């Protein structure tokens, strides 16, 4: 039915707000919706009437987006019965519309366009409170409807809005997924460029740096046969600088390589710590390393081992003056994630600086060995696994370095 009756075209803010709400759902652009059609057919059966429609009402028109018992059409707002009662606080149910002064002269009641008698309309109200249309059932003969059927029609009207919202959210989700996929591809492209750039820089710098280091070592051998302590000091200092430069180049290359395709397999962290202790044997001379229970996690074994090795090396490096290093490595397994902790007994990191150390090239202790890339690389590795990493105060008085990984 093309519900008809009453007022002139609505103007002002209300009409604009409703038009915007209808446009968001996109039904007028693509009105052939099987879900809405099925629902309006159920409405006709519930009311036990031959005709039913879902109307969306704009400023100037009424659009029948799903119908049963007649052909869908678009009519002017002035001819719309539902537009007349669109903002009524309750559904409008009439045994005989011809006896209601709001509709007695309406062409869809008088016989000019239709002969509506029984008429029941339920407003479609969005979650934001905007009434955008109606669920309308009607018949050409006068009749009554039970309270139970009225309640069922109200529930169906609510389901109409639910379907519109579900469709809208599904489209928004699809767009969000597409945006995420685009961002992922862009990130992958950026990572690939970064890796290529770092590799090229590393290659270009290593050659000259190796030549400098080799020349300095040869010069150091020559000076060793002479007695110039000043020259020996200068060469040793230059060699140390060249070594630090090589460490920085290697660190930058490692940092850039993180973020590509990850291997995902079980990683036994207890075994990883054992091999790390062997690799860091020189750094751990005189140190006490306590290894408590550690979980088996899922991830890239090479990259996760590099994270743990970096944290252990840092813990061994930062100690209280005159005291040997004392480390505790432990973990815990909880539903959905694992946490790994490395404790030291060193001077600790002030709270206001705990975030800064994860930025590339940041070193709190200018006298410490290292490139300032290690913790930044650790963060990239952990975050590429969907986890997080941070520093806290250790209950032993030093620093607690931790990272968490999802299953």
């Amino acid at each position: 039915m093309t519900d008809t009756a009453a007022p002139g075209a609505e103007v002002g803010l209300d009409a604009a707000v409703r038009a915007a709400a209808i446009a968001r759902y996109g039904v007028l652009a693509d009105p052939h919706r099987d879900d809405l059609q099925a629902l309006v057919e159920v409405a006709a059966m519930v009311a036990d009437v031959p005709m039913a429609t879902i109307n969306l009402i704009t400023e100037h028109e009424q659009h029948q987006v799903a119908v049963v018992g007649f052909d869908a059409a678009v009519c002017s707002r002035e001819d719309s019965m539902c537009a007349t009662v669109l903002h009524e606080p309750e559904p409008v149910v009439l045994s005989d519309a011809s006896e209601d002064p709001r509709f007695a002269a309406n062409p869809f009641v008088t016989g000019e366009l239709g002969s509506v008698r029984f008429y029941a309309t339920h407003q479609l109200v969005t979650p934001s409170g905007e009434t955008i249309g109606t669920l309308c059932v009607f018949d050409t003969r006068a009749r009554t409807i039970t309270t139970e059927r009225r309640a069922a029609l109200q529930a169906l009207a609510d389901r109409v809005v639910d379907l519109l919202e579900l469709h809208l959210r599904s489209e928004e989700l699809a767009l969000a997924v597409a945006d995420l996929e685009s961002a992922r591809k862009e990130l992958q492209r950026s990572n690939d460029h970064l890796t290529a750039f770092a590799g090229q820089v590393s290659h270009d710098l290593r050659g000259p740096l190796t030549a400098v280091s080799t020349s300095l070592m040869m010069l150091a051998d020559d000076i060793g046969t002479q007695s110039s302590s000043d020259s020996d000091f200068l060469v040793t200092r230059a060699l140390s600088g060249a070594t630090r430069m090589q460490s920085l180049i290697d660190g930058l290359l490692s940092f850039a390589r993180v973020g590509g395709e990850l291997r995902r397999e079980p990683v036994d962290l207890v075994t990883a710590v054992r091999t790390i202790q062997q690799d860091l044997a020189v750094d751990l001379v005189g140190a006490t390393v306590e290894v408590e229970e550690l979980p088996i996690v899922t991830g890239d074994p090479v990259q996760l081992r590099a994270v743990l090795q970096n944290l252990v090396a840092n813990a061994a490096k930062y100690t209280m003056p005159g005291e040997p290093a004392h480390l505790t490595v432990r973990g815990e397994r909880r539903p959905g994630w694992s946490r790994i902790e490395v404790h030291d007994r060193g001077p600790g990191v002030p709270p206001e600086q705990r975030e800064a150390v994860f930025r590339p090239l940041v070193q709190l202790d200018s006298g410490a060995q290292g490139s300032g890339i290690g913790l930044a690389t650790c963060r990239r590795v952990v975050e590429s696994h969907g986890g997080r990493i941070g520093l806290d105060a250790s209950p032993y008085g030093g620093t607690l370095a931790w990272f968490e990984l999802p299953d």
Side-chain angles (χ1 to χ4, degrees):
M1 147 190 175
T2 308
D3 300 333
T4 63
E10 184 182 34
V11 296
L13 181 61
D14 288 346
V17 171
R18 186 171 61 259
I22 293 173
R24 286 179 62 244
Y25 292 121
V27 183
L28 300 187
D30 183 19
H32 303 294
R33 292 270 301 273
D34 291 341
D35 51 352
L36 297 179
Q37 182 61 39
L39 196 148
V40 79
E41 290 173 359
V42 172
M45 288 188 291
V46 166
D48 192 22
V49 297
M51 291 170 284
T53 178
I54 295 173
N55 299 315
L56 296 182
I57 302 174
T58 64
E59 181 180 353
H60 300 292
E61 296 175 322
Q62 172 182 274
H63 298 258
Q64 295 168 337
V65 297
V67 301
V68 62
F70 64 100
D71 294 330
V74 177
C75 75
S76 68
R77 184 186 173 89
E78 289 84 353
D79 288 337
S80 169
M81 292 176 70
C82 289
T84 303
V85 292
L86 185 64
H87 293 297
E88 291 291 329
E90 300 292 337
V92 175
V93 181
L94 301 174
S95 297
D96 189 344
S98 67
E99 298 179 355
D100 189 291
R102 292 171 294 183
F103 305 114
N106 186 277
F108 279 94
V109 175
T110 62
E112 182 182 349
L113 296 176
S115 301
V116 174
R117 293 299 178 263
F118 172 74
Y119 171 77
T121 187
H122 293 70
Q123 294 82 359
L124 305 179
V125 183
T126 70
S128 61
E130 182 61 41
T131 304
I132 61 173
T134 62
L135 171 64
C136 178
V137 296
F138 54 98
D139 198 349
T140 55
R141 64 183 180 87
R143 54 178 298 158
T144 59
I145 188 172
T146 65
T147 301
E148 291 76 15
R149 289 178 186 266
R150 289 189 184 193
L153 287 172
Q154 180 61 67
L156 287 173
D158 293 338
R159 299 296 78 76
V160 171
V161 177
D162 289 344
L163 287 176
L164 294 176
E165 284 288 318
L166 179 60
H167 190 266
L168 174 63
R169 300 295 174 248
S170 297
E171 289 189 335
E172 290 176 343
L173 180 59
L175 289 174
V177 170
D179 288 343
L180 285 174
E181 179 61 17
S182 176
R184 186 196 67 79
K185 290 180 179 179
E186 177 61 23
L187 180 60
Q188 181 63 53
R189 186 189 66 81
S190 297
N191 281 333
D192 291 344
H193 286 178
L194 179 59
T195 301
F197 173 75
Q200 186 63 47
V201 170
S202 176
H203 177 270
D204 291 346
L205 291 180
R206 275 177 173 163
L209 187 59
T210 299
V212 170
S213 298
T214 301
S215 298
L216 287 171
M217 286 187 287
M218 294 174 62
L219 184 58
D221 290 340
D222 289 342
I223 291 175
T225 62
Q226 303 174 18
S227 59
S228 174
S229 59
D230 290 340
S231 299
D232 184 60
F233 169 76
L234 291 174
V235 171
T236 301
R237 184 175 180 179
L239 273 171
S240 177
T243 301
R244 288 197 301 273
M245 178 62 74
Q246 183 62 59
S247 175
L248 178 59
I249 292 172
D250 292 341
L252 285 171
L253 185 58
S254 298
F255 179 79
R257 283 174 173 166
V258 175
E261 291 298 322
L262 295 174
R263 294 168 54 195
R264 292 197 176 271
E265 60 186 68
V267 180
D268 185 347
L269 295 181
V270 173
T271 301
V273 171
R274 291 198 189 103
T275 59
I276 287 170
Q277 287 180 269
Q278 295 172 3
D279 292 344
L280 296 179
V282 175
D283 301 88
L284 295 175
V285 170
T288 300
V289 181
E290 298 177 1
V291 181
E292 301 181 5
E293 184 176 352
L294 289 170
I296 294 177
V297 298
T298 300
D300 189 299
V302 175
Q303 294 194 17
L304 292 182
R305 182 183 177 281
V307 171
L308 197 52
Q309 179 163 328
N310 192 285
L311 298 184
V312 170
N314 278 352
K317 185 189 308 181
Y318 297 103
T319 61
M320 298 299 287
E323 295 185 8
H326 192 145
L327 290 67
T328 301
V329 184
R330 64 188 181 202
E332 62 175 315
R333 182 75 175 81
R334 292 188 179 181
W337 59 276
S338 299
R339 179 181 174 95
I340 297 87
E341 299 179 348
V342 179
H343 298 257
D344 65 41
R345 275 70 166 176
V349 179
E352 66 275 11
Q353 296 179 331
R354 289 173 187 162
E355 179 63 24
V357 298
F358 289 99
R359 294 199 295 266
L361 305 177
V362 172
Q363 284 185 289
L364 300 184
D365 184 356
S366 59
Q369 293 183 351
S371 62
I373 299 294
L375 287 178
T377 303
C378 288
R379 168 164 284 182
R380 280 172 64 87
V381 170
V382 171
E383 290 183 349
S384 70
H385 282 74
R388 61 195 191 106
I389 187 171
L391 300 181
D392 287 317
S394 170
Y396 302 115
T399 297
L400 158 61
W402 57 268
F403 63 96
E404 296 173 347
L405 299 172
D407 290 345

